[in-house]
PDB file of all heavy atoms in Angstrom:
ATOM      1  N   HIS A  83      -7.944 -10.818  16.989  1.00 97.00           N
ATOM      2  CA  HIS A  83      -6.881 -11.647  16.576  1.00 97.00           C
ATOM      3  C   HIS A  83      -6.763 -11.579  15.038  1.00 97.00           C
ATOM      4  O   HIS A  83      -7.779 -11.558  14.301  1.00 97.00           O
ATOM      5  CB  HIS A  83      -7.147 -13.111  16.954  1.00 97.00           C
ATOM      6  CG  HIS A  83      -6.029 -14.025  16.623  1.00 97.00           C
ATOM      7  ND1 HIS A  83      -4.693 -13.880  17.131  1.00 97.00           N
ATOM      8  CD2 HIS A  83      -5.964 -15.182  15.865  1.00 97.00           C
ATOM      9  CE1 HIS A  83      -3.974 -14.826  16.600  1.00 97.00           C
ATOM     10  NE2 HIS A  83      -4.687 -15.668  15.878  1.00 97.00           N
ATOM     11  N   VAL A  84      -5.560 -11.444  14.515  1.00 97.00           N
ATOM     12  CA  VAL A  84      -5.298 -11.363  13.092  1.00 97.00           C
ATOM     13  C   VAL A  84      -5.019 -12.759  12.490  1.00 97.00           C
ATOM     14  O   VAL A  84      -4.211 -13.510  13.006  1.00 97.00           O
ATOM     15  CB  VAL A  84      -4.166 -10.395  12.768  1.00 97.00           C
ATOM     16  CG1 VAL A  84      -3.904 -10.431  11.204  1.00 97.00           C
ATOM     17  CG2 VAL A  84      -4.467  -9.012  13.245  1.00 97.00           C
ATOM     18  N   VAL A  85      -5.833 -13.152  11.461  1.00 96.00           N
ATOM     19  CA  VAL A  85      -5.618 -14.436  10.848  1.00 96.00           C
ATOM     20  C   VAL A  85      -5.254 -14.144   9.377  1.00 96.00           C
ATOM     21  O   VAL A  85      -5.439 -13.042   8.874  1.00 96.00           O
ATOM     22  CB  VAL A  85      -6.862 -15.321  10.930  1.00 96.00           C
ATOM     23  CG1 VAL A  85      -7.179 -15.626  12.399  1.00 96.00           C
ATOM     24  CG2 VAL A  85      -8.104 -14.606  10.346  1.00 96.00           C
ATOM     25  N   TYR A  86      -4.801 -15.280   8.697  1.00 92.00           N
ATOM     26  CA  TYR A  86      -4.303 -15.079   7.334  1.00 92.00           C
ATOM     27  C   TYR A  86      -4.947 -16.138   6.409  1.00 92.00           C
ATOM     28  O   TYR A  86      -5.180 -17.246   6.793  1.00 92.00           O
ATOM     29  CB  TYR A  86      -2.816 -15.196   7.316  1.00 92.00           C
ATOM     30  CG  TYR A  86      -2.070 -14.083   8.010  1.00 92.00           C
ATOM     31  CD1 TYR A  86      -1.822 -14.216   9.291  1.00 92.00           C
ATOM     32  CD2 TYR A  86      -1.733 -12.922   7.247  1.00 92.00           C
ATOM     33  CE1 TYR A  86      -1.128 -13.126  10.001  1.00 92.00           C
ATOM     34  CE2 TYR A  86      -1.086 -11.855   7.888  1.00 92.00           C
ATOM     35  CZ  TYR A  86      -0.789 -12.006   9.247  1.00 92.00           C
ATOM     36  OH  TYR A  86      -0.135 -10.988   9.859  1.00 92.00           O
ATOM     37  N   SER A  87      -5.237 -15.704   5.166  1.00 88.00           N
ATOM     38  CA  SER A  87      -5.738 -16.631   4.204  1.00 88.00           C
ATOM     39  C   SER A  87      -4.520 -17.443   3.551  1.00 88.00           C
ATOM     40  O   SER A  87      -3.359 -17.198   3.894  1.00 88.00           O
ATOM     41  CB  SER A  87      -6.409 -15.912   3.044  1.00 88.00           C
ATOM     42  OG  SER A  87      -5.429 -15.168   2.257  1.00 88.00           O
ATOM     43  N   ALA A  88      -4.809 -18.378   2.701  1.00 83.00           N
ATOM     44  CA  ALA A  88      -3.787 -19.153   2.068  1.00 83.00           C
ATOM     45  C   ALA A  88      -2.796 -18.324   1.314  1.00 83.00           C
ATOM     46  O   ALA A  88      -1.699 -18.654   1.122  1.00 83.00           O
ATOM     47  CB  ALA A  88      -4.473 -20.187   1.140  1.00 83.00           C
ATOM     48  N   HIS A  89      -3.308 -17.154   0.780  1.00 81.00           N
ATOM     49  CA  HIS A  89      -2.364 -16.274   0.029  1.00 81.00           C
ATOM     50  C   HIS A  89      -1.812 -15.159   0.927  1.00 81.00           C
ATOM     51  O   HIS A  89      -1.201 -14.209   0.324  1.00 81.00           O
ATOM     52  CB  HIS A  89      -3.159 -15.643  -1.150  1.00 81.00           C
ATOM     53  CG  HIS A  89      -3.527 -16.641  -2.255  1.00 81.00           C
ATOM     54  ND1 HIS A  89      -2.568 -17.119  -3.095  1.00 81.00           N
ATOM     55  CD2 HIS A  89      -4.637 -17.117  -2.583  1.00 81.00           C
ATOM     56  CE1 HIS A  89      -3.126 -17.913  -3.964  1.00 81.00           C
ATOM     57  NE2 HIS A  89      -4.429 -17.912  -3.688  1.00 81.00           N
ATOM     58  N   GLY A  90      -1.991 -15.268   2.228  1.00 85.00           N
ATOM     59  CA  GLY A  90      -1.362 -14.354   3.162  1.00 85.00           C
ATOM     60  C   GLY A  90      -2.164 -13.065   3.367  1.00 85.00           C
ATOM     61  O   GLY A  90      -1.632 -12.117   3.960  1.00 85.00           O
ATOM     62  N   ARG A  91      -3.435 -13.108   3.000  1.00 90.00           N
ATOM     63  CA  ARG A  91      -4.240 -11.881   3.214  1.00 90.00           C
ATOM     64  C   ARG A  91      -4.723 -11.847   4.705  1.00 90.00           C
ATOM     65  O   ARG A  91      -5.323 -12.781   5.175  1.00 90.00           O
ATOM     66  CB  ARG A  91      -5.482 -11.964   2.320  1.00 90.00           C
ATOM     67  CG  ARG A  91      -6.487 -10.820   2.475  1.00 90.00           C
ATOM     68  CD  ARG A  91      -7.625 -10.997   1.522  1.00 90.00           C
ATOM     69  NE  ARG A  91      -8.570  -9.892   1.478  1.00 90.00           N
ATOM     70  CZ  ARG A  91      -9.472  -9.761   0.608  1.00 90.00           C
ATOM     71  NH1 ARG A  91      -9.637 -10.761  -0.290  1.00 90.00           N
ATOM     72  NH2 ARG A  91     -10.280  -8.700   0.607  1.00 90.00           N
ATOM     73  N   PRO A  92      -4.426 -10.728   5.376  1.00 95.00           N
ATOM     74  CA  PRO A  92      -4.816 -10.623   6.808  1.00 95.00           C
ATOM     75  C   PRO A  92      -6.367 -10.319   7.017  1.00 95.00           C
ATOM     76  O   PRO A  92      -6.927  -9.679   6.075  1.00 95.00           O
ATOM     77  CB  PRO A  92      -3.962  -9.468   7.304  1.00 95.00           C
ATOM     78  CG  PRO A  92      -3.830  -8.626   6.192  1.00 95.00           C
ATOM     79  CD  PRO A  92      -3.712  -9.517   4.945  1.00 95.00           C
ATOM     80  N   ALA A  93      -6.847 -10.779   8.117  1.00 96.00           N
ATOM     81  CA  ALA A  93      -8.316 -10.504   8.393  1.00 96.00           C
ATOM     82  C   ALA A  93      -8.376 -10.520   9.885  1.00 96.00           C
ATOM     83  O   ALA A  93      -7.583 -11.077  10.604  1.00 96.00           O
ATOM     84  CB  ALA A  93      -9.239 -11.546   7.765  1.00 96.00           C
ATOM     85  N   LEU A  94      -9.488  -9.897  10.418  1.00 97.00           N
ATOM     86  CA  LEU A  94      -9.716  -9.827  11.833  1.00 97.00           C
ATOM     87  C   LEU A  94     -10.739 -10.948  12.172  1.00 97.00           C
ATOM     88  O   LEU A  94     -11.789 -11.019  11.658  1.00 97.00           O
ATOM     89  CB  LEU A  94     -10.332  -8.503  12.219  1.00 97.00           C
ATOM     90  CG  LEU A  94      -9.465  -7.237  12.002  1.00 97.00           C
ATOM     91  CD1 LEU A  94     -10.207  -6.028  12.374  1.00 97.00           C
ATOM     92  CD2 LEU A  94      -8.199  -7.382  12.786  1.00 97.00           C
ATOM     93  N   ALA A  95     -10.261 -11.870  13.058  1.00 97.00           N
ATOM     94  CA  ALA A  95     -11.177 -12.895  13.505  1.00 97.00           C
ATOM     95  C   ALA A  95     -12.405 -12.321  14.200  1.00 97.00           C
ATOM     96  O   ALA A  95     -12.240 -11.494  15.026  1.00 97.00           O
ATOM     97  CB  ALA A  95     -10.383 -13.782  14.449  1.00 97.00           C
ATOM     98  N   GLY A  96     -13.571 -12.826  13.740  1.00 96.00           N
ATOM     99  CA  GLY A  96     -14.781 -12.337  14.348  1.00 96.00           C
ATOM    100  C   GLY A  96     -15.339 -11.005  13.809  1.00 96.00           C
ATOM    101  O   GLY A  96     -16.409 -10.579  14.144  1.00 96.00           O
ATOM    102  N   ARG A  97     -14.509 -10.341  12.891  1.00 96.00           N
ATOM    103  CA  ARG A  97     -14.947  -9.064  12.350  1.00 96.00           C
ATOM    104  C   ARG A  97     -14.748  -9.134  10.815  1.00 96.00           C
ATOM    105  O   ARG A  97     -13.948  -8.389  10.263  1.00 96.00           O
ATOM    106  CB  ARG A  97     -14.171  -7.923  12.938  1.00 96.00           C
ATOM    107  CG  ARG A  97     -14.543  -7.613  14.371  1.00 96.00           C
ATOM    108  CD  ARG A  97     -16.017  -7.356  14.656  1.00 96.00           C
ATOM    109  NE  ARG A  97     -16.577  -6.373  13.837  1.00 96.00           N
ATOM    110  CZ  ARG A  97     -16.729  -5.095  14.198  1.00 96.00           C
ATOM    111  NH1 ARG A  97     -16.334  -4.711  15.360  1.00 96.00           N
ATOM    112  NH2 ARG A  97     -17.288  -4.198  13.381  1.00 96.00           N
ATOM    113  N   PRO A  98     -15.436 -10.026  10.141  1.00 95.00           N
ATOM    114  CA  PRO A  98     -15.327 -10.108   8.696  1.00 95.00           C
ATOM    115  C   PRO A  98     -15.800  -8.780   8.003  1.00 95.00           C
ATOM    116  O   PRO A  98     -15.656  -8.674   6.845  1.00 95.00           O
ATOM    117  CB  PRO A  98     -16.149 -11.289   8.328  1.00 95.00           C
ATOM    118  CG  PRO A  98     -17.132 -11.424   9.406  1.00 95.00           C
ATOM    119  CD  PRO A  98     -16.492 -10.924  10.649  1.00 95.00           C
ATOM    120  N   ASP A  99     -16.534  -7.953   8.729  1.00 97.00           N
ATOM    121  CA  ASP A  99     -17.006  -6.741   8.076  1.00 97.00           C
ATOM    122  C   ASP A  99     -15.959  -5.650   7.999  1.00 97.00           C
ATOM    123  O   ASP A  99     -16.222  -4.626   7.391  1.00 97.00           O
ATOM    124  CB  ASP A  99     -18.226  -6.221   8.918  1.00 97.00           C
ATOM    125  CG  ASP A  99     -17.864  -6.017  10.373  1.00 97.00           C
ATOM    126  OD1 ASP A  99     -17.017  -6.787  10.964  1.00 97.00           O
ATOM    127  OD2 ASP A  99     -18.492  -5.061  11.017  1.00 97.00           O
ATOM    128  N   ILE A 100     -14.766  -5.831   8.609  1.00 98.00           N
ATOM    129  CA  ILE A 100     -13.738  -4.831   8.582  1.00 98.00           C
ATOM    130  C   ILE A 100     -12.625  -5.411   7.731  1.00 98.00           C
ATOM    131  O   ILE A 100     -11.909  -6.400   8.130  1.00 98.00           O
ATOM    132  CB  ILE A 100     -13.240  -4.432   9.925  1.00 98.00           C
ATOM    133  CG1 ILE A 100     -14.399  -3.838  10.775  1.00 98.00           C
ATOM    134  CG2 ILE A 100     -12.105  -3.442   9.797  1.00 98.00           C
ATOM    135  CD1 ILE A 100     -14.023  -3.498  12.257  1.00 98.00           C
ATOM    136  N   GLY A 101     -12.320  -4.823   6.617  1.00 98.00           N
ATOM    137  CA  GLY A 101     -11.163  -5.198   5.821  1.00 98.00           C
ATOM    138  C   GLY A 101      -9.893  -4.496   6.337  1.00 98.00           C
ATOM    139  O   GLY A 101      -9.924  -3.342   6.729  1.00 98.00           O
ATOM    140  N   ILE A 102      -8.754  -5.235   6.312  1.00 98.00           N
ATOM    141  CA  ILE A 102      -7.520  -4.669   6.820  1.00 98.00           C
ATOM    142  C   ILE A 102      -6.342  -5.055   5.807  1.00 98.00           C
ATOM    143  O   ILE A 102      -6.485  -6.061   5.043  1.00 98.00           O
ATOM    144  CB  ILE A 102      -7.118  -5.211   8.201  1.00 98.00           C
ATOM    145  CG1 ILE A 102      -6.963  -6.697   8.170  1.00 98.00           C
ATOM    146  CG2 ILE A 102      -8.119  -4.706   9.218  1.00 98.00           C
ATOM    147  CD1 ILE A 102      -6.324  -7.196   9.497  1.00 98.00           C
ATOM    148  N   SER A 103      -5.331  -4.258   5.839  1.00 98.00           N
ATOM    149  CA  SER A 103      -4.147  -4.498   5.039  1.00 98.00           C
ATOM    150  C   SER A 103      -2.983  -3.807   5.701  1.00 98.00           C
ATOM    151  O   SER A 103      -3.125  -2.770   6.326  1.00 98.00           O
ATOM    152  CB  SER A 103      -4.314  -4.076   3.582  1.00 98.00           C
ATOM    153  OG  SER A 103      -3.186  -4.486   2.778  1.00 98.00           O
ATOM    154  N   VAL A 104      -1.746  -4.353   5.578  1.00 97.00           N
ATOM    155  CA  VAL A 104      -0.557  -3.708   6.052  1.00 97.00           C
ATOM    156  C   VAL A 104       0.541  -3.837   5.068  1.00 97.00           C
ATOM    157  O   VAL A 104       0.526  -4.613   4.176  1.00 97.00           O
ATOM    158  CB  VAL A 104      -0.090  -4.382   7.442  1.00 97.00           C
ATOM    159  CG1 VAL A 104      -1.142  -4.180   8.482  1.00 97.00           C
ATOM    160  CG2 VAL A 104       0.265  -5.810   7.228  1.00 97.00           C
ATOM    161  N   SER A 105       1.550  -2.968   5.170  1.00 97.00           N
ATOM    162  CA  SER A 105       2.641  -2.984   4.241  1.00 97.00           C
ATOM    163  C   SER A 105       3.880  -2.286   5.000  1.00 97.00           C
ATOM    164  O   SER A 105       3.706  -1.340   5.794  1.00 97.00           O
ATOM    165  CB  SER A 105       2.334  -2.175   3.004  1.00 97.00           C
ATOM    166  OG  SER A 105       3.488  -2.166   2.070  1.00 97.00           O
ATOM    167  N   HIS A 106       5.027  -2.828   4.691  1.00 93.00           N
ATOM    168  CA  HIS A 106       6.247  -2.204   5.266  1.00 93.00           C
ATOM    169  C   HIS A 106       7.339  -2.242   4.275  1.00 93.00           C
ATOM    170  O   HIS A 106       7.515  -3.193   3.491  1.00 93.00           O
ATOM    171  CB  HIS A 106       6.642  -2.866   6.593  1.00 93.00           C
ATOM    172  CG  HIS A 106       6.679  -4.360   6.491  1.00 93.00           C
ATOM    173  ND1 HIS A 106       7.709  -5.053   5.887  1.00 93.00           N
ATOM    174  CD2 HIS A 106       5.820  -5.265   6.980  1.00 93.00           C
ATOM    175  CE1 HIS A 106       7.467  -6.357   6.007  1.00 93.00           C
ATOM    176  NE2 HIS A 106       6.319  -6.505   6.712  1.00 93.00           N
ATOM    177  N   GLU A 107       8.192  -1.158   4.264  1.00 93.00           N
ATOM    178  CA  GLU A 107       9.272  -1.094   3.313  1.00 93.00           C
ATOM    179  C   GLU A 107      10.328  -0.245   4.068  1.00 93.00           C
ATOM    180  O   GLU A 107      10.246   0.969   4.203  1.00 93.00           O
ATOM    181  CB  GLU A 107       8.856  -0.344   2.039  1.00 93.00           C
ATOM    182  CG  GLU A 107       9.983   0.104   1.170  1.00 93.00           C
ATOM    183  CD  GLU A 107      10.677  -1.023   0.355  1.00 93.00           C
ATOM    184  OE1 GLU A 107      10.307  -2.177   0.544  1.00 93.00           O
ATOM    185  OE2 GLU A 107      11.453  -0.643  -0.468  1.00 93.00           O
ATOM    186  N   GLY A 108      11.385  -0.936   4.560  1.00 89.00           N
ATOM    187  CA  GLY A 108      12.406  -0.241   5.278  1.00 89.00           C
ATOM    188  C   GLY A 108      11.805   0.354   6.547  1.00 89.00           C
ATOM    189  O   GLY A 108      11.144  -0.290   7.364  1.00 89.00           O
ATOM    190  N   ASP A 109      11.974   1.723   6.737  1.00 90.00           N
ATOM    191  CA  ASP A 109      11.441   2.448   7.877  1.00 90.00           C
ATOM    192  C   ASP A 109      10.009   2.951   7.639  1.00 90.00           C
ATOM    193  O   ASP A 109       9.517   3.659   8.506  1.00 90.00           O
ATOM    194  CB  ASP A 109      12.394   3.514   8.395  1.00 90.00           C
ATOM    195  CG  ASP A 109      12.708   4.530   7.304  1.00 90.00           C
ATOM    196  OD1 ASP A 109      12.108   4.393   6.190  1.00 90.00           O
ATOM    197  OD2 ASP A 109      13.465   5.418   7.584  1.00 90.00           O
ATOM    198  N   ALA A 110       9.412   2.616   6.556  1.00 95.00           N
ATOM    199  CA  ALA A 110       8.072   3.069   6.290  1.00 95.00           C
ATOM    200  C   ALA A 110       7.126   1.928   6.586  1.00 95.00           C
ATOM    201  O   ALA A 110       7.296   0.792   6.033  1.00 95.00           O
ATOM    202  CB  ALA A 110       7.859   3.514   4.826  1.00 95.00           C
ATOM    203  N   VAL A 111       6.132   2.133   7.460  1.00 96.00           N
ATOM    204  CA  VAL A 111       5.179   1.089   7.826  1.00 96.00           C
ATOM    205  C   VAL A 111       3.767   1.684   7.749  1.00 96.00           C
ATOM    206  O   VAL A 111       3.505   2.808   8.193  1.00 96.00           O
ATOM    207  CB  VAL A 111       5.385   0.650   9.242  1.00 96.00           C
ATOM    208  CG1 VAL A 111       4.462  -0.470   9.681  1.00 96.00           C
ATOM    209  CG2 VAL A 111       6.838   0.186   9.483  1.00 96.00           C
ATOM    210  N   ALA A 112       2.848   0.973   7.084  1.00 97.00           N
ATOM    211  CA  ALA A 112       1.508   1.483   6.801  1.00 97.00           C
ATOM    212  C   ALA A 112       0.417   0.417   7.127  1.00 97.00           C
ATOM    213  O   ALA A 112       0.742  -0.749   7.037  1.00 97.00           O
ATOM    214  CB  ALA A 112       1.359   1.958   5.402  1.00 97.00           C
ATOM    215  N   ALA A 113      -0.791   0.891   7.445  1.00 98.00           N
ATOM    216  CA  ALA A 113      -1.815   0.036   7.709  1.00 98.00           C
ATOM    217  C   ALA A 113      -3.104   0.698   7.118  1.00 98.00           C
ATOM    218  O   ALA A 113      -3.247   1.916   7.029  1.00 98.00           O
ATOM    219  CB  ALA A 113      -2.027  -0.271   9.202  1.00 98.00           C
ATOM    220  N   CYS A 114      -4.098  -0.161   6.769  1.00 98.00           N
ATOM    221  CA  CYS A 114      -5.299   0.312   6.272  1.00 98.00           C
ATOM    222  C   CYS A 114      -6.488  -0.530   6.902  1.00 98.00           C
ATOM    223  O   CYS A 114      -6.299  -1.700   7.056  1.00 98.00           O
ATOM    224  CB  CYS A 114      -5.360   0.136   4.736  1.00 98.00           C
ATOM    225  SG  CYS A 114      -6.868   0.618   3.850  1.00 98.00           S
TER     226      CYS A 114
END
Side-chain angles (χ1 to χ4, degrees):
H83 186 57
V84 177
V85 296
Y86 293 89
S87 71
H89 290 288
R91 179 181 186 170
L94 297 177
R97 291 305 305 265
D99 56 327
I100 300 176
I102 61 170
S103 185
V104 296
S105 180
H106 47 76
E107 166 78 353
D109 56 3
V111 183
C114 178

